[in-house]
Amino acid sequence: GCRLFERGKKGVSLTPEGELLYHYVARAHRSISQGEEELLAARSLSKGIIRMCVTEMTMQNFLIPYLNTYHNQYPYIKLQISNQTTTSALLMLNSNLVDFAVVTSPVEEDDHLSVTNLKPINDIIIAGTCYERLKFRPLHLADIIHLPIICISSSTTTRAFLDKIFQSYNLILDPDIELANSSLIAPLVALNMGIGIVPYSMAEKQIQEGTVFALNMQERFPSRYICLIYRTDRPLSLAAKRFIQMLTEATAQTKPEEADEEYPAP
């Protein structure tokens, strides 16, 4: 019900009512244009954010090379990385605080979770030089339960996994030293503070140096996995989808026997 334009000999001009409306329309148009630019940037992966949660073990022994590759390809994508236990990572994922998690199994089944195994983890028992007498002996879990044991703390899924294995042999895992970080186990074992239960990859350096060795256990721990987890009931950003695609494609090219690290015999 208002006239917005006045036509004159010099062309078209806005009426006062037209000026008033233009003030709001121009602002809306700028917002729409900015939104389109943001979408184009997101689609071309020249802008965006990935929120992920990882465990100490998966970061140190698996994820860093893939983060480096992704960052080199898409340097303008921001990476927000939270370091948590598997249990805490799942809580953050379910609370929509992260897009996905790269953690260690076991993971409880959930209809809304997609779980992809990326790389197997082999847990071993290692000892230092003061236990040379055990080096070539075939041992059972019952033979080492009385020794001082260094292990991951009871608040982790890894510890729950190990506890269940010992219980299956009617044994109780009662460590003398409990650590929040598995990367500290091998260095303490090298100092002869006890024998340690640790993923092979986190003791490989000390094994090669000869400061620790793997005990010849007759019971082998079942393989666990480094796994990728995200919720299927929430959409992922294009940046997160591309990282997940890169990660799964790269690990799928690795043959199982190559990924499954077999520790050397004593």
Side-chain angles (χ1 to χ4, degrees), residues 20-266:
L20 177 63
L21 181 60
Y22 175 78
H23 173 72
Y24 292 97
V25 171
R27 187 165 54 189
H29 183 266
R30 284 195 299 270
S31 296
I32 293 171
S33 297
Q34 289 172 357
E36 290 176 340
E37 290 174 3
E38 294 283 336
L39 287 176
L40 288 171
R43 192 175 68 178
S44 63
L45 297 181
S46 59
K47 192 171 186 179
I49 298 175
I50 293 179
R51 305 170 305 158
M52 69 181 79
C53 197
V54 303
T55 64
E56 188 75 25
M57 191 272 177
T58 59
M59 175 61 89
Q60 289 188 8
N61 296 275
F62 175 73
L63 202 56
I64 289 177
Y66 298 105
L67 289 171
N68 184 46
T69 299
Y70 187 88
H71 180 67
N72 288 336
Q73 291 182 7
Y74 309 106
Y76 300 109
I77 299 295
K78 295 182 179 180
L79 302 175
Q80 295 182 351
I81 305 172
S82 178
N83 189 356
Q84 301 287 341
T85 64
T86 294
T87 301
S88 297
L90 291 176
L91 288 174
M92 291 185 69
L93 184 62
N94 291 330
S95 300
N96 199 26
L97 297 176
V98 292
D99 302 314
F100 59 86
V102 182
V103 296
T104 56
S105 64
V107 177
E108 292 186 10
E109 293 186 6
D110 187 317
D111 292 339
H112 297 298
L113 290 182
S114 170
V115 181
T116 303
N117 293 333
L118 300 174
K119 182 181 179 182
I121 304 169
N122 288 321
D123 295 291
I124 61 174
I125 301 180
I126 57 175
T129 54
C130 73
Y131 294 99
E132 287 284 339
R133 68 186 186 278
L134 303 177
K135 194 167 189 178
F136 298 102
R137 286 175 51 186
L139 298 168
H140 295 275
L141 291 178
D143 298 324
I144 59 95
I145 198 70
H146 64 283
L147 298 175
I149 295 176
I150 306 172
C151 188
I152 195 73
S153 66
S154 57
S155 60
T156 63
T157 56
T158 295
R159 177 60 182 280
F161 169 79
L162 295 174
D163 284 339
K164 188 175 293 186
I165 292 171
F166 275 79
Q167 289 167 9
S168 69
Y169 292 98
N170 295 316
L171 300 171
I172 296 176
L173 177 58
D174 185 22
D176 292 74
I177 300 177
E178 296 187 31
L179 299 166
N181 190 333
S182 293
S183 65
L184 301 175
I185 295 176
L188 294 187
V189 172
L191 294 174
N192 291 310
M193 295 181 65
I195 64 171
I197 306 174
V198 65
Y200 170 77
S201 60
M202 303 193 82
E204 186 175 11
K205 178 176 179 288
Q206 287 80 4
I207 289 175
Q208 292 177 348
E209 292 172 347
T211 55
V212 307
F213 61 91
L215 295 178
N216 185 16
M217 303 303 301
Q218 302 306 290
E219 301 95 350
R220 295 292 180 94
F221 295 116
S223 287
R224 296 185 293 128
Y225 290 90
I226 293 173
C227 51
L228 167 72
I229 306 175
Y230 62 88
R231 290 192 64 89
T232 57
D233 56 347
R234 295 198 193 108
L236 290 166
S237 68
L238 293 173
K241 285 182 179 179
R242 179 66 190 103
F243 185 86
I244 289 172
Q245 180 187 16
M246 183 196 73
L247 202 59
T248 53
E249 287 179 352
T251 53
Q253 293 173 2
T254 304
K255 296 179 181 179
E257 59 268 22
E258 293 175 348
D260 191 7
E261 298 165 322
E262 186 65 29
Y263 59 85

